C-alpha cells in the first residue's frame, strides 16, 4: 500500500486518486502529514492560478422555502423566523454595488420560494435578466432544483453558473436530510445545467452523520462529474431544526476535503466560504488550497447568510473591503473581472441542449 507521502505525490502529479486513496488522505490525523497535504494543495493552486483569488458576493434574495431539509435554518417547518424577499430593483442595486466594488460574481440564491417558481419561474428569470442586462456582473443562480427544460432559459436569461449541492453521495443519508427530494433528480441538475451551457457547482457538507468512507466517495463522485466548481462546508447546527443538537465539527475535515479536491481538480474553483466560521475561517481555507472567497455580504442591507445567518455581516467583517485587505495581508490579491472572465471562457461547457 502507498504511504501518505506517495499518495499526495501521486495526486499532485496525476490529478487522480482511487476512492481508497482519497479515504487514506481523509483519514490523516498526524499534524505533519496534514501540513504536507495543505502544502501540496497550495503548490498546485499557485501553479495554476498564481496569487490571484476570485471573489463572489452573496445575495440571498428570498429566504422563503417550501422544502424541509433537516439541516437548514430556512426549512419550511422552522416557523417564526425572520424571512424576507427582496424586490428585483433591490437585487439589481445590490449586484451593482458588488460589481462597483470589484467583486467577480453575484450569487443569486433563494430558498425554493413558490413566489419565484410560479408562472414558469417568471420572477426568477426576470431577476436574472435584470441583473444581467442592467449590471453586467457575472451571475450564479442558486435557486434549488429545477425541471430540465428550465436550464436553457436560465442560461438565456444571462446566468453563467448554476449551483446545486448534493451534500453527500450516500443515497440513504441524502434521503434522510433532503426530505421528499429525489437523489437522482438532484444529481441530474448539474448534468442538465452543463448540457445547457452553464458552468455548474457541486458541494458536500461535513458533519451530517456521514462516515469517512462516505466523505471519500463523495469527493470522488464530485470530482468526476465535470463541475468547474466544487465545495465542502462544515455543517453548522441550526436552532429550530431536527439537527439542532448535533455536535458541531471543527474545520479540520473541511480543510482536508478542500486540499484533496484541489489535488483532484487542479484547474477548478474551490471556495473558501465565509458562511461557516465567518472571516476567522479565511486564512486556513486559503492555506488549504481554496482559490475563491464566497459569501461576501455587505453590511446594512438586511441580508442573511445560510449556515451563519448573522455572523460577521453587520460588523462589516464579511464586507468587500475587509476581505480584499485580508487577502493582501496573506500575499494574495483579488482577481480582476477580466481575469475571472477568461476563466469562465476557458471552462464554459459547450451547449448541447
Ligand atoms: N435552496 C437552494 C438549495 O438548497 O439548493 C439554494 C440555497 S441552499 C440554502 C445552499 C446550501 O447551503 C445547501 O445546499 C447546503 O449545502 C448549505 N447549507 C444549508 N444549511 C447549512 C448549514 N446549516 N450548515 C452548513 N451548510 C448549510
Ligand atoms: C456560500 N452561503 O457561498 C453561500 C451559499 C450558494 N450558492 C452558496 C452556500 O457559502
Ligand atoms: Fe430550502 Fe435550500 Fe434550505 Fe433545503 S437547503 S430547506 S432547499 S433553502
Amino acid at each position: 500500500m502507498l504511504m501518505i507521502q506517495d499518495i499526495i505525490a501521486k495526486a499532485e502529479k496525476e490529478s487522480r486518486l482511487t476512492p481508497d486513496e482519497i479515504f487514506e488522505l481523509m483519514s490523516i490525523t498526524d499534524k505533519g502529514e496534514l501540513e504536507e497535504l495543505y502544502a501540496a494543495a497550495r503548490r498546485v493552486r499557485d501553479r495554476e492560478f498564481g496569487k490571484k483569488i476570485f471573489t463572489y458576493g452573496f445575495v440571498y434574495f428570498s429566504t422563503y422555502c417550501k422544502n424541509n431539509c433537516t439541516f437548514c435554518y430556512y426549512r419550511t417547518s422552522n416557523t417564526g423566523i425572520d424571512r424576507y424577499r427582496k424586490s428585483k430593483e433591490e437585487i439589481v442595486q445590490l449586484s451593482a454595488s458588488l460589481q462597483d466594488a470589484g467583486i467577480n460574481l453575484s450569487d443569486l440564491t433563494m430558498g425554493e420560494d413558490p413566489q419565484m417558481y410560479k408562472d414558469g419561474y417568471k420572477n426568477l428569470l426576470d431577476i436574472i435578466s435584470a441583473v444581467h442586462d442592467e449590471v453586467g456582473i457575472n451571475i450564479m443562480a442558486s435557486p434549488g432544483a429545477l425541471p430540465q427544460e428550465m436550464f436553457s432559459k436560465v442560461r438565456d436569461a444571462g446566468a453563467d453558473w448554476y449551483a446545486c449541492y448534493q451534500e453527500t453521495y450516500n443515497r440513504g443519508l441524502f434521503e434522510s436530510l433532503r426530505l421528499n427530494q429525489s437523489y437522482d433528480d438532484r444529481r441530474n441538475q448539474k448534468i442538465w445545467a452543463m448540457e445547457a451551457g452553464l458552468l455548474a457547482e457541486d458541494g458536500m457538507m461535513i458533519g451530517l452523520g456521514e462516515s469517512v468512507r462516505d466523505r471519500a466517495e463523495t469527493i470522488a463522485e464530485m470530482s468526476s462529474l465535470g463541475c468547474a466548481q466544487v465545495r465542502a462546508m462544515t455543517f453548522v447546527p441550526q436552532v429550530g431544526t431536527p439537527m439542532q443538537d448535533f455536535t458541531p465539527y471543527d474545520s479540520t475535515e473541511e480543510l482536508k476535503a478542500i486540499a484533496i479536491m484541489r489535488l483532484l481538480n487542479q484547474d477548478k474553483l474551490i471556495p473558501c466560504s465565509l458562511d461557516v466560521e465567518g472571516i476567522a475561517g479565511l486564512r486556513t481555507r486559503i492555506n488549504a488550497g481554496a482559490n475563491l472567497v464566497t459569501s461576501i455580504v455587505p453590511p446594512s442591507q438586511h441580508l442573511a447568510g445560510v449556515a451563519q445567518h448573522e455572523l460577521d455581516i453587520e460588523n462589516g467583517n464579511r464586507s468587500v473591503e475587509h476581505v480584499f485587505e485580508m487577502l493582501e495581508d496573506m500575499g494574495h490579491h483579488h482577481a480582476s473581472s477580466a481575469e475571472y472572465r477568461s476563466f469562465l471562457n476557458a471552462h464554459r461547457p459547450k451547449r448541447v441542449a
Side-chain angles (χ1 to χ4, degrees):
M1 209 175 70
L2 293 177
M3 303 271 295
I4 291 295
Q5 286 72 18
D6 300 328
I7 301 177
I8 295 173
K10 175 185 167 188
E12 187 171 351
K13 185 151 165 270
E14 297 175 20
S15 193
R16 213 158 30 91
L17 290 177
T18 65
D20 284 341
E21 290 163 344
I22 300 175
F23 174 81
E24 292 301 321
L25 296 187
M26 275 311 286
S27 306
I28 296 177
T29 52
D30 179 82
K31 268 212 157 80
E33 289 177 346
L34 278 178
E35 266 322 306
E36 290 176 50
L37 176 65
Y38 301 148
R42 288 195 296 273
R43 278 195 298 278
V44 166
R45 190 237 359 247
D46 292 356
R47 189 182 66 221
E48 291 287 337
F49 294 95
K51 287 293 172 193
K52 61 175 186 283
I53 302 282
F54 301 103
T55 54
Y56 289 4
F58 187 54
V59 181
Y60 198 3
F61 66 90
S62 171
T63 60
Y64 289 87
C65 189
K66 67 176 167 57
N67 279 345
N68 223 0
C69 304
T70 53
F71 51 81
C72 183
Y73 184 67
Y74 300 98
R75 71 199 302 264
T76 186
S77 299
N78 204 9
T79 51
I81 64 169
D82 188 20
R83 296 184 196 258
Y84 61 82
R85 188 182 288 118
K86 301 282 183 201
S87 69
K88 185 166 71 183
E89 292 68 32
E90 289 171 303
I91 299 165
V92 165
Q93 181 265 315
L94 285 162
S95 300
S97 64
L98 291 170
Q99 161 104 320
D100 292 343
I103 292 291
N104 299 133
L105 173 141
S106 178
D107 180 0
L108 303 178
T109 299
M110 60 185 226
E112 296 200 2
D113 177 0
Q115 272 296 323
M116 297 293 156
Y117 277 32
K118 67 176 193 200
D119 307 325
Y121 297 79
K122 184 175 184 307
N123 288 335
L124 169 65
L125 293 172
D126 280 353
I127 287 167
I128 297 172
S129 359
V131 172
H132 178 265
D133 299 349
E134 294 169 37
V135 183
I137 190 171
N138 294 110
I139 296 170
M140 172 177 272
S142 306
L146 301 174
Q148 186 172 6
E149 67 271 15
M150 283 305 298
F151 289 96
S152 54
K153 296 182 183 168
V154 167
R155 175 77 188 116
D156 289 340
D160 298 285
W161 290 87
Y162 170 76
C164 179
Y165 314 141
Q166 200 72 19
E167 327 295 2
T168 175
Y169 276 84
N170 175 326
R171 186 182 287 268
L173 182 59
F174 175 98
E175 284 165 0
S176 74
L177 298 166
R178 286 197 161 266
L179 305 178
N180 301 312
Q181 298 174 51
S182 153
Y183 176 93
D184 292 312
D185 182 68
R186 200 163 172 94
R187 183 177 184 278
N188 281 335
Q189 299 289 306
K190 278 77 81 170
I191 296 169
W192 294 336
M194 291 187 277
E195 288 172 353
L198 286 153
L199 295 128
E201 181 184 21
D202 200 355
M204 71 188 290
M205 255 200 275
I206 285 172
L208 301 163
E210 78 288 355
S211 65
V212 181
R213 178 67 61 185
D214 290 332
R215 283 177 208 141
E217 281 167 6
T218 295
I219 292 173
E221 289 287 338
M222 289 201 304
S223 304
S224 63
L225 201 61
C227 292
Q229 189 171 312
V230 283
R231 73 162 60 206
M233 282 174 69
T234 310
F235 166 58
V236 181
Q238 303 294 325
V239 284
T241 68
M243 294 174 76
Q244 63 178 1
D245 295 326
F246 262 57
T247 308
Y249 276 55
D250 73 14
S251 59
T252 315
E253 300 308 312
E254 178 182 329
L255 297 175
K256 277 192 253 179
I258 288 174
I260 298 165
M261 289 190 301
R262 168 57 63 210
L263 297 176
L264 301 179
N265 301 271
Q266 304 201 345
D267 62 344
K268 306 286 167 63
L269 300 181
I270 299 178
C272 149
S273 172
L274 301 182
D275 213 16
V276 178
E277 297 183 292
I279 199 72
L282 184 95
R283 188 175 292 272
T284 49
R285 287 166 177 76
I286 297 291
N287 280 337
N291 67 333
L292 160 67
V293 182
T294 70
S295 229
I296 294 171
V297 183
S300 321
Q301 305 288 337
H302 192 69
L303 281 173
V306 176
Q308 294 286 2
H309 31 103
E310 290 175 347
L311 179 68
D312 279 347
I313 296 179
E314 292 313 319
N315 66 9
N317 281 345
R318 271 158 81 169
S319 69
V320 180
E321 298 73 20
H322 193 225
V323 170
F324 283 7
E325 247 172 60
M326 299 241 340
L327 289 175
E328 298 288 335
D329 255 20
M330 295 177 63
H332 291 273
H333 60 267
H334 65 274
S336 68
S337 82
E339 287 169 322
Y340 183 63
R341 284 184 181 162
S342 86
F343 176 91
L344 296 188
N345 292 334
H347 291 264
R348 208 186 296 279
K350 232 210 192 79
R351 186 167 183 164
V352 294

